Amino acid sequence: MEAFASTIKAQQFALSVWDMSPSQTNIPYIYYFKNPSSDPADDFMPSGRLRASFLKALEEFPILVGHITVGKDGRYLVDVDPHNLNMPEYLESQSTVHFYDLEKAKFGWDALPHAATVDVFCAAGVSGVIKLANVNIIRLEKNSGLVLFVSTPHYVVDGVGYCTFVNRWAELCRWMQCNAAENELPRRDFNFDRSTIGRFQSATPELIAKVDQLHNKSAAAFGNTIAKGILIQNKVLVSNQSRFSLYQNDFGSGIPEWVSPIPVFYANFGSILPVHPSASDGYNIYLTAGKRIMANILQNKLWNAHVDLVY
């Protein structure tokens, strides 16, 4: 760990109001990888390589090893201290569930080993601090596959940033698999300075610039909007995540067969996710709703004309 700490420099990342507006939630996804080989002894996503490439990715995403704190101006920030790193939760275990069982159940949550180590809302773990990344790896029976859970708080990165981190982790894992030289490592530049967005505001519509200025001036401006939406009864909030690069994560043995949010992500919530590249078109839609609302949805003729129920 000392070698890793030596690659991290002391720095702080000030968070904007845009970051803090969804601050109570995590971004958690579950990936289902199938071993393309039927040989139980196959070198499928080996533990050592996964962990080494994860640490390598963290070197480029130092914001994920910091502590959330409050600055002198009263605003939240992520403080990265090489002598007091907030290392992500990183777990690995073995399951008696076979990948075939998950496929047969169409990756329904009832057949899933308990993968999620955090819920939808950010909370301190057993260490007493909020981790800025949580990883849980579950190896399936007879080396048939692997379930990967990755979560980050929404205020650290948004959905695109989350996918960028997991994509980079996978890219580094493939690079290590090839035993390539350091100079053959694909270079990527990542910027975590929120003020960068402000410098490009002149190229955005005037209205967006004014809204951004208002939100950064008063945190309540955006918070009140969200609060009002939450308090409305008999509604379903929908999040369009269909453009997220969830199926570009190839750690060396192929992309995941399926990607899902965690079970019961949020009451009365809909997540629109992309489908596997092998599918011709469409989206995977996860809906969580009360019995009365769900019954009305399932009886809606227009909905049923365009949607196939998976589980």
Side-chain angles (χ1 to χ4, degrees), residues 258-270:
W258 190 267
V259 182
S260 77
I262 61 176
V264 193
F265 176 75
Y266 196 80
N268 298 326
F269 192 85

Side-chain angles (χ1 to χ4, degrees), residues 39-58:
D39 184 2
D42 180 69
D43 189 27
F44 171 69
M45 297 178 69
S47 300
R49 188 185 303 147
L50 279 177
R51 184 168 182 82
S53 55
F54 177 73
L55 292 174
K56 189 73 173 177
L58 286 179

Side-chain angles (χ1 to χ4, degrees), residues 19-39:
D19 295 316
M20 298 312 298
S21 57
S23 62
Q24 75 276 15
T25 61
N26 289 313
I27 304 178
Y29 287 105
I30 304 173
Y31 305 82
Y32 306 78
F33 292 90
K34 182 178 183 178
N35 188 348
S37 173
S38 58
D39 184 2

Side-chain angles (χ1 to χ4, degrees), residues 18-19 22 27 29 152-165 194 197 244:
W18 291 102
D19 295 316
I27 304 178
Y29 287 105
T152 61
H154 205 307
Y155 55 75
V156 178
V157 290
D158 60 6
V160 174
Y162 168 97
C163 291
T164 301
F165 170 71
R194 272 55 172 173
I197 299 175
F244 288 177

Side-chain angles (χ1 to χ4, degrees), residues 46-75:
S47 300
R49 188 185 303 147
L50 279 177
R51 184 168 182 82
S53 55
F54 177 73
L55 292 174
K56 189 73 173 177
L58 286 179
E59 292 178 13
E60 300 178 1
F61 285 77
I63 194 171
L64 297 181
V65 296
H67 290 267
I68 181 72
T69 185
V70 180
K72 295 180 180 179
D73 59 355
R75 292 180 178 269

Side-chain angles (χ1 to χ4, degrees), residues 29-219:
Y29 287 105
I30 304 173
Y31 305 82
Y32 306 78
F33 292 90
K34 182 178 183 178
N35 188 348
S37 173
S38 58
D39 184 2
D42 180 69
D43 189 27
F44 171 69
M45 297 178 69
S47 300
R49 188 185 303 147
L50 279 177
R51 184 168 182 82
S53 55
F54 177 73
L55 292 174
K56 189 73 173 177
L58 286 179
E59 292 178 13
E60 300 178 1
F61 285 77
I63 194 171
L64 297 181
V65 296
H67 290 267
I68 181 72
T69 185
V70 180
K72 295 180 180 179
D73 59 355
R75 292 180 178 269
Y76 283 93
L77 56 86
V78 175
D79 180 45
V80 180
D81 180 357
H83 303 291
N84 183 30
L85 295 176
N86 181 20
M87 292 302 295
E89 176 186 64
Y90 190 97
L91 306 174
E92 183 169 345
S93 61
Q94 178 67 47
S95 172
T96 58
V97 176
H98 197 281
F99 191 87
Y100 171 76
D101 298 325
L102 298 181
E103 279 187 311
K104 187 177 180 181
K106 298 181 179 179
F107 303 99
W109 286 317
D110 291 340
L112 172 72
H114 186 70
T117 58
V118 293
D119 294 322
V120 59
F121 296 109
C122 300
V126 294
S127 62
V129 299
I130 296 177
K131 297 296 183 180
L132 303 191
N134 297 80
V135 174
N136 187 20
I137 299 170
I138 301 178
R139 297 193 173 274
L140 301 177
E141 186 181 37
K142 297 181 179 179
N143 200 27
S144 58
L146 179 148
V147 176
L148 171 65
F149 168 76
V150 182
S151 176
T152 61
H154 205 307
Y155 55 75
V156 178
V157 290
D158 60 6
V160 174
Y162 168 97
C163 291
T164 301
F165 170 71
V166 181
N167 293 165
R168 182 56 170 169
W169 177 14
E171 182 180 42
L172 290 169
C173 194
R174 295 196 307 273
W175 169 73
M176 290 183 174
Q177 183 182 39
C178 296
N179 293 316
E182 184 76 24
N183 60 4
E184 296 179 19
L185 171 65
R187 297 298 173 184
R188 303 283 185 263
D189 293 321
F190 305 106
N191 188 345
F192 306 98
D193 184 0
R194 272 55 172 173
S195 65
T196 303
I197 299 175
R199 293 198 291 271
F200 287 94
Q201 276 187 355
S202 59
T204 62
E206 183 179 0
L207 178 60
I208 295 179
K210 287 183 178 180
V211 170
D212 181 65
Q213 183 180 13
L214 173 63
H215 288 174
N216 279 289
K217 182 178 180 181
S218 174

